[in-house]
Amino acid sequence: MTATPSANAGGSAGGLGNARIGVVTFPGTLDDRDTQRAIRLAGAEAVELWHRDKDLKQVDAVVLPGGFSYGDYLRAGAISRFSPVMEMIIEGARQGLPVLGICNGFQVLTETHLLPGAMLRNNHLHFICRDQRLRVENAETAWTNTYEAGQEISVPLKNIDGRYVADERTLDELEAEGRVAFRYLGMNPNGSLRDIAGITNAAGNVVGLMPHPEHAVEPLIGTGRTDGLGFFTSVLKQLVSA
């Protein structure tokens, strides 16, 4: 289910140190610096992308980080979907560019229809911030290939619009095609249908999830574990093997 990045994505990943991973900043983005740090810890170059950029600066992959883009006005991720940089990301993703959406980034991916479904207000109507246990359901995507299917990890979760919903037909398709990437373990924190915490597209190059792996990459901060680092080492492994 993994995908090969398009030559239009940059194609510079001849080794870990040469991989360039773009991190998009929208007005209201909060976790772009944390994501850049996670990328550097994994061994790649973090490239800043501004929401008004009209090119992707020859990056090999893109992360849409968490936050409250455009203040979550209208609907979380709905305005960001029309930012100039997203036109290039949508085109790149359809050609195989690895794209990861974290929290607000996941919301943006559903708004662009790169991933199916939608994100609604948590069923308890409160903001939640906690360490969250997840089960890796799909370890074959560009962003999960250093994990094992069934592996349990713990990463922080913080959101108010984190309830994943889709119609029954879409949910059945996601299950049947192995496109549920992560599932919540223990208490469902926001009412997401079928305990879905993250999904992937059919090609495996686009992944979105609500929890924040970039906050679990160093033992002294976040959860005190490094369970989230695998997202970023996975995409490097994918790039150098392509």
mmCIF file of all heavy atoms in Angstrom, residues 198-232:
data_model
loop_
_atom_site.group_PDB
_atom_site.id
_atom_site.type_symbol
_atom_site.label_atom_id
_atom_site.label_comp_id
_atom_site.label_asym_id
_atom_site.label_seq_id
_atom_site.Cartn_x
_atom_site.Cartn_y
_atom_site.Cartn_z
ATOM 1 N N GLY A 198 -6.993 7.528 12.967
ATOM 2 C CA GLY A 198 -6.280 7.970 11.781
ATOM 3 C C GLY A 198 -6.557 7.036 10.625
ATOM 4 O O GLY A 198 -6.849 5.843 10.818
ATOM 5 N N ILE A 199 -6.472 7.580 9.408
ATOM 6 C CA ILE A 199 -6.742 6.796 8.205
ATOM 7 C C ILE A 199 -5.702 7.110 7.136
ATOM 8 O O ILE A 199 -4.920 8.055 7.258
ATOM 9 C CB ILE A 199 -8.159 7.067 7.649
ATOM 10 C CG1 ILE A 199 -8.308 8.557 7.272
ATOM 11 C CG2 ILE A 199 -9.221 6.655 8.648
ATOM 12 C CD1 ILE A 199 -9.644 8.861 6.597
ATOM 13 N N THR A 200 -5.719 6.323 6.083
ATOM 14 C CA THR A 200 -4.833 6.522 4.949
ATOM 15 C C THR A 200 -5.631 6.497 3.656
ATOM 16 O O THR A 200 -6.758 5.972 3.616
ATOM 17 C CB THR A 200 -3.742 5.434 4.899
ATOM 18 O OG1 THR A 200 -2.900 5.638 3.760
ATOM 19 C CG2 THR A 200 -4.347 4.045 4.809
ATOM 20 N N ASN A 201 -5.070 7.072 2.616
ATOM 21 C CA ASN A 201 -5.697 6.929 1.303
ATOM 22 C C ASN A 201 -5.360 5.554 0.734
ATOM 23 O O ASN A 201 -4.583 4.784 1.318
ATOM 24 C CB ASN A 201 -5.272 8.063 0.358
ATOM 25 C CG ASN A 201 -3.796 8.006 -0.018
ATOM 26 O OD1 ASN A 201 -2.992 7.326 0.620
ATOM 27 N ND2 ASN A 201 -3.423 8.739 -1.056
ATOM 28 N N ALA A 202 -5.927 5.235 -0.419
ATOM 29 C CA ALA A 202 -5.737 3.901 -0.991
ATOM 30 C C ALA A 202 -4.288 3.630 -1.361
ATOM 31 O O ALA A 202 -3.798 2.506 -1.244
ATOM 32 C CB ALA A 202 -6.630 3.729 -2.218
ATOM 33 N N ALA A 203 -3.560 4.669 -1.780
ATOM 34 C CA ALA A 203 -2.158 4.488 -2.195
ATOM 35 C C ALA A 203 -1.207 4.393 -1.018
ATOM 36 O O ALA A 203 -0.079 3.926 -1.167
ATOM 37 C CB ALA A 203 -1.739 5.635 -3.123
ATOM 38 N N GLY A 204 -1.621 4.862 0.149
ATOM 39 C CA GLY A 204 -0.764 4.785 1.327
ATOM 40 C C GLY A 204 0.207 5.931 1.477
ATOM 41 O O GLY A 204 1.022 5.926 2.404
ATOM 42 N N ASN A 205 0.137 6.940 0.621
ATOM 43 C CA ASN A 205 1.061 8.076 0.748
ATOM 44 C C ASN A 205 0.480 9.224 1.563
ATOM 45 O O ASN A 205 1.219 10.080 2.055
ATOM 46 C CB ASN A 205 1.479 8.600 -0.634
ATOM 47 C CG ASN A 205 0.322 9.125 -1.455
ATOM 48 O OD1 ASN A 205 -0.646 8.394 -1.703
ATOM 49 N ND2 ASN A 205 0.402 10.373 -1.884
ATOM 50 N N VAL A 206 -0.853 9.252 1.731
ATOM 51 C CA VAL A 206 -1.499 10.307 2.510
ATOM 52 C C VAL A 206 -2.083 9.692 3.779
ATOM 53 O O VAL A 206 -2.878 8.746 3.708
ATOM 54 C CB VAL A 206 -2.616 10.996 1.711
ATOM 55 C CG1 VAL A 206 -3.291 12.084 2.551
ATOM 56 C CG2 VAL A 206 -2.055 11.594 0.421
ATOM 57 N N VAL A 207 -1.676 10.212 4.922
ATOM 58 C CA VAL A 207 -2.143 9.714 6.216
ATOM 59 C C VAL A 207 -2.580 10.901 7.067
ATOM 60 O O VAL A 207 -1.920 11.952 7.081
ATOM 61 C CB VAL A 207 -1.036 8.922 6.953
ATOM 62 C CG1 VAL A 207 -1.448 8.601 8.397
ATOM 63 C CG2 VAL A 207 -0.714 7.636 6.201
ATOM 64 N N GLY A 208 -3.691 10.749 7.755
ATOM 65 C CA GLY A 208 -4.139 11.766 8.701
ATOM 66 C C GLY A 208 -4.506 11.124 10.023
ATOM 67 O O GLY A 208 -5.034 10.005 10.053
ATOM 68 N N LEU A 209 -4.205 11.814 11.108
ATOM 69 C CA LEU A 209 -4.588 11.334 12.441
ATOM 70 C C LEU A 209 -4.765 12.520 13.365
ATOM 71 O O LEU A 209 -4.172 13.582 13.162
ATOM 72 C CB LEU A 209 -3.559 10.361 13.011
ATOM 73 C CG LEU A 209 -2.268 10.907 13.605
ATOM 74 C CD1 LEU A 209 -1.610 9.832 14.482
ATOM 75 C CD2 LEU A 209 -1.277 11.368 12.549
ATOM 76 N N MET A 210 -5.570 12.338 14.404
ATOM 77 C CA MET A 210 -5.800 13.422 15.357
ATOM 78 C C MET A 210 -4.708 13.532 16.420
ATOM 79 O O MET A 210 -4.307 14.644 16.770
ATOM 80 C CB MET A 210 -7.162 13.249 16.033
ATOM 81 C CG MET A 210 -8.334 13.576 15.129
ATOM 82 S SD MET A 210 -8.203 15.204 14.303
ATOM 83 C CE MET A 210 -8.235 16.309 15.707
ATOM 84 N N PRO A 211 -4.178 12.449 16.981
ATOM 85 C CA PRO A 211 -3.104 12.580 17.972
ATOM 86 C C PRO A 211 -1.829 13.181 17.372
ATOM 87 O O PRO A 211 -1.663 13.230 16.151
ATOM 88 C CB PRO A 211 -2.878 11.142 18.438
ATOM 89 C CG PRO A 211 -4.165 10.451 18.152
ATOM 90 C CD PRO A 211 -4.649 11.062 16.863
ATOM 91 N N HIS A 212 -0.921 13.606 18.248
ATOM 92 C CA HIS A 212 0.253 14.391 17.855
ATOM 93 C C HIS A 212 1.556 13.607 18.038
ATOM 94 O O HIS A 212 2.193 13.679 19.093
ATOM 95 C CB HIS A 212 0.331 15.663 18.711
ATOM 96 C CG HIS A 212 -0.692 16.691 18.360
ATOM 97 N ND1 HIS A 212 -0.415 17.779 17.576
ATOM 98 C CD2 HIS A 212 -1.996 16.790 18.693
ATOM 99 C CE1 HIS A 212 -1.500 18.529 17.442
ATOM 100 N NE2 HIS A 212 -2.480 17.944 18.107
ATOM 101 N N PRO A 213 2.017 12.888 17.027
ATOM 102 C CA PRO A 213 3.280 12.154 17.169
ATOM 103 C C PRO A 213 4.489 13.059 17.353
ATOM 104 O O PRO A 213 5.485 12.638 17.948
ATOM 105 C CB PRO A 213 3.369 11.371 15.849
ATOM 106 C CG PRO A 213 2.533 12.128 14.879
ATOM 107 C CD PRO A 213 1.410 12.676 15.687
ATOM 108 N N GLU A 214 4.424 14.306 16.869
ATOM 109 C CA GLU A 214 5.571 15.211 16.998
ATOM 110 C C GLU A 214 5.852 15.599 18.442
ATOM 111 O O GLU A 214 6.923 16.121 18.747
ATOM 112 C CB GLU A 214 5.348 16.470 16.134
ATOM 113 C CG GLU A 214 4.443 17.529 16.719
ATOM 114 C CD GLU A 214 2.956 17.222 16.567
ATOM 115 O OE1 GLU A 214 2.604 16.091 16.169
ATOM 116 O OE2 GLU A 214 2.139 18.118 16.866
ATOM 117 N N HIS A 215 4.894 15.339 19.334
ATOM 118 C CA HIS A 215 5.102 15.616 20.753
ATOM 119 C C HIS A 215 5.599 14.395 21.516
ATOM 120 O O HIS A 215 5.654 14.419 22.750
ATOM 121 C CB HIS A 215 3.808 16.120 21.395
ATOM 122 C CG HIS A 215 3.332 17.438 20.862
ATOM 123 N ND1 HIS A 215 4.194 18.448 20.506
ATOM 124 C CD2 HIS A 215 2.084 17.917 20.636
ATOM 125 C CE1 HIS A 215 3.497 19.488 20.073
ATOM 126 N NE2 HIS A 215 2.220 19.190 20.139
ATOM 127 N N ALA A 216 5.947 13.337 20.805
ATOM 128 C CA ALA A 216 6.445 12.119 21.452
ATOM 129 C C ALA A 216 7.676 11.630 20.710
ATOM 130 O O ALA A 216 7.713 10.502 20.205
ATOM 131 C CB ALA A 216 5.365 11.047 21.483
ATOM 132 N N VAL A 217 8.691 12.491 20.626
ATOM 133 C CA VAL A 217 9.911 12.141 19.891
ATOM 134 C C VAL A 217 11.167 12.242 20.758
ATOM 135 O O VAL A 217 12.252 11.863 20.315
ATOM 136 C CB VAL A 217 10.075 13.034 18.639
ATOM 137 C CG1 VAL A 217 8.953 12.768 17.651
ATOM 138 C CG2 VAL A 217 10.126 14.514 19.007
ATOM 139 N N GLU A 218 11.025 12.729 21.981
ATOM 140 C CA GLU A 218 12.156 12.845 22.892
ATOM 141 C C GLU A 218 11.746 12.370 24.278
ATOM 142 O O GLU A 218 10.617 12.624 24.717
ATOM 143 C CB GLU A 218 12.634 14.299 22.972
ATOM 144 C CG GLU A 218 13.186 14.847 21.668
ATOM 145 C CD GLU A 218 13.667 16.278 21.811
ATOM 146 O OE1 GLU A 218 12.813 17.182 21.849
ATOM 147 O OE2 GLU A 218 14.887 16.495 21.897
ATOM 148 N N PRO A 219 12.634 11.695 24.993
ATOM 149 C CA PRO A 219 12.249 11.111 26.287
ATOM 150 C C PRO A 219 12.003 12.132 27.392
ATOM 151 O O PRO A 219 11.390 11.803 28.404
ATOM 152 C CB PRO A 219 13.442 10.205 26.645
ATOM 153 C CG PRO A 219 14.590 10.766 25.871
ATOM 154 C CD PRO A 219 14.001 11.301 24.597
ATOM 155 N N LEU A 220 12.439 13.378 27.225
ATOM 156 C CA LEU A 220 12.309 14.364 28.297
ATOM 157 C C LEU A 220 11.088 15.263 28.161
ATOM 158 O O LEU A 220 10.813 16.077 29.035
ATOM 159 C CB LEU A 220 13.572 15.241 28.370
ATOM 160 C CG LEU A 220 14.857 14.519 28.753
ATOM 161 C CD1 LEU A 220 16.026 15.497 28.782
ATOM 162 C CD2 LEU A 220 14.717 13.842 30.116
ATOM 163 N N ILE A 221 10.347 15.152 27.039
ATOM 164 C CA ILE A 221 9.177 16.003 26.861
ATOM 165 C C ILE A 221 8.009 15.173 26.360
ATOM 166 O O ILE A 221 8.160 14.013 25.989
ATOM 167 C CB ILE A 221 9.458 17.152 25.861
ATOM 168 C CG1 ILE A 221 9.855 16.595 24.490
ATOM 169 C CG2 ILE A 221 10.534 18.080 26.377
ATOM 170 C CD1 ILE A 221 10.009 17.655 23.430
ATOM 171 N N GLY A 222 6.830 15.771 26.325
ATOM 172 C CA GLY A 222 5.647 15.053 25.859
ATOM 173 C C GLY A 222 5.313 13.894 26.764
ATOM 174 O O GLY A 222 5.199 14.046 27.980
ATOM 175 N N THR A 223 5.172 12.722 26.188
ATOM 176 C CA THR A 223 4.802 11.536 26.967
ATOM 177 C C THR A 223 5.986 10.961 27.738
ATOM 178 O O THR A 223 5.812 10.065 28.555
ATOM 179 C CB THR A 223 4.276 10.433 26.033
ATOM 180 O OG1 THR A 223 5.303 10.098 25.097
ATOM 181 C CG2 THR A 223 3.043 10.891 25.276
ATOM 182 N N GLY A 224 7.199 11.460 27.472
ATOM 183 C CA GLY A 224 8.388 10.848 28.040
ATOM 184 C C GLY A 224 8.812 9.613 27.273
ATOM 185 O O GLY A 224 9.686 8.860 27.705
ATOM 186 N N ARG A 225 8.189 9.401 26.103
ATOM 187 C CA ARG A 225 8.503 8.276 25.238
ATOM 188 C C ARG A 225 8.812 8.807 23.843
ATOM 189 O O ARG A 225 8.624 9.988 23.553
ATOM 190 C CB ARG A 225 7.305 7.312 25.163
ATOM 191 C CG ARG A 225 6.911 6.732 26.515
ATOM 192 C CD ARG A 225 5.484 6.180 26.482
ATOM 193 N NE ARG A 225 5.307 5.151 25.459
ATOM 194 C CZ ARG A 225 4.854 3.933 25.711
ATOM 195 N NH1 ARG A 225 4.578 3.568 26.947
ATOM 196 N NH2 ARG A 225 4.678 3.069 24.742
ATOM 197 N N THR A 226 9.282 7.944 22.978
ATOM 198 C CA THR A 226 9.605 8.351 21.609
ATOM 199 C C THR A 226 8.738 7.611 20.593
ATOM 200 O O THR A 226 9.145 7.397 19.458
ATOM 201 C CB THR A 226 11.099 8.109 21.316
ATOM 202 O OG1 THR A 226 11.390 6.709 21.481
ATOM 203 C CG2 THR A 226 11.982 8.922 22.240
ATOM 204 N N ASP A 227 7.525 7.260 20.991
ATOM 205 C CA ASP A 227 6.645 6.471 20.133
ATOM 206 C C ASP A 227 6.278 7.184 18.836
ATOM 207 O O ASP A 227 5.956 6.538 17.837
ATOM 208 C CB ASP A 227 5.359 6.118 20.879
ATOM 209 C CG ASP A 227 5.590 5.137 22.015
ATOM 210 O OD1 ASP A 227 6.746 4.774 22.256
ATOM 211 O OD2 ASP A 227 4.596 4.744 22.661
ATOM 212 N N GLY A 228 6.316 8.516 18.828
ATOM 213 C CA GLY A 228 5.917 9.259 17.645
ATOM 214 C C GLY A 228 7.001 9.411 16.599
ATOM 215 O O GLY A 228 6.718 9.794 15.455
ATOM 216 N N LEU A 229 8.240 9.116 16.964
ATOM 217 C CA LEU A 229 9.347 9.323 16.033
ATOM 218 C C LEU A 229 9.230 8.425 14.801
ATOM 219 O O LEU A 229 9.707 8.771 13.720
ATOM 220 C CB LEU A 229 10.676 9.077 16.747
ATOM 221 C CG LEU A 229 11.940 9.544 16.012
ATOM 222 C CD1 LEU A 229 11.901 11.047 15.759
ATOM 223 C CD2 LEU A 229 13.180 9.163 16.819
ATOM 224 N N GLY A 230 8.562 7.299 14.958
ATOM 225 C CA GLY A 230 8.420 6.354 13.855
ATOM 226 C C GLY A 230 7.697 6.916 12.644
ATOM 227 O O GLY A 230 7.919 6.455 11.518
ATOM 228 N N PHE A 231 6.833 7.903 12.838
ATOM 229 C CA PHE A 231 6.175 8.538 11.698
ATOM 230 C C PHE A 231 7.211 9.147 10.759
ATOM 231 O O PHE A 231 7.127 9.013 9.534
ATOM 232 C CB PHE A 231 5.219 9.637 12.165
ATOM 233 C CG PHE A 231 3.939 9.125 12.739
ATOM 234 C CD1 PHE A 231 3.885 8.648 14.040
ATOM 235 C CD2 PHE A 231 2.787 9.129 11.986
ATOM 236 C CE1 PHE A 231 2.702 8.183 14.586
ATOM 237 C CE2 PHE A 231 1.592 8.660 12.508
ATOM 238 C CZ PHE A 231 1.551 8.186 13.815
ATOM 239 N N PHE A 232 8.185 9.810 11.351
ATOM 240 C CA PHE A 232 9.150 10.576 10.568
ATOM 241 C C PHE A 232 10.282 9.690 10.041
ATOM 242 O O PHE A 232 10.773 9.908 8.932
ATOM 243 C CB PHE A 232 9.667 11.728 11.422
ATOM 244 C CG PHE A 232 8.532 12.556 11.979
ATOM 245 C CD1 PHE A 232 8.099 12.366 13.291
ATOM 246 C CD2 PHE A 232 7.866 13.459 11.186
ATOM 247 C CE1 PHE A 232 7.024 13.095 13.797
ATOM 248 C CE2 PHE A 232 6.793 14.193 11.674
ATOM 249 C CZ PHE A 232 6.367 14.007 12.981
#
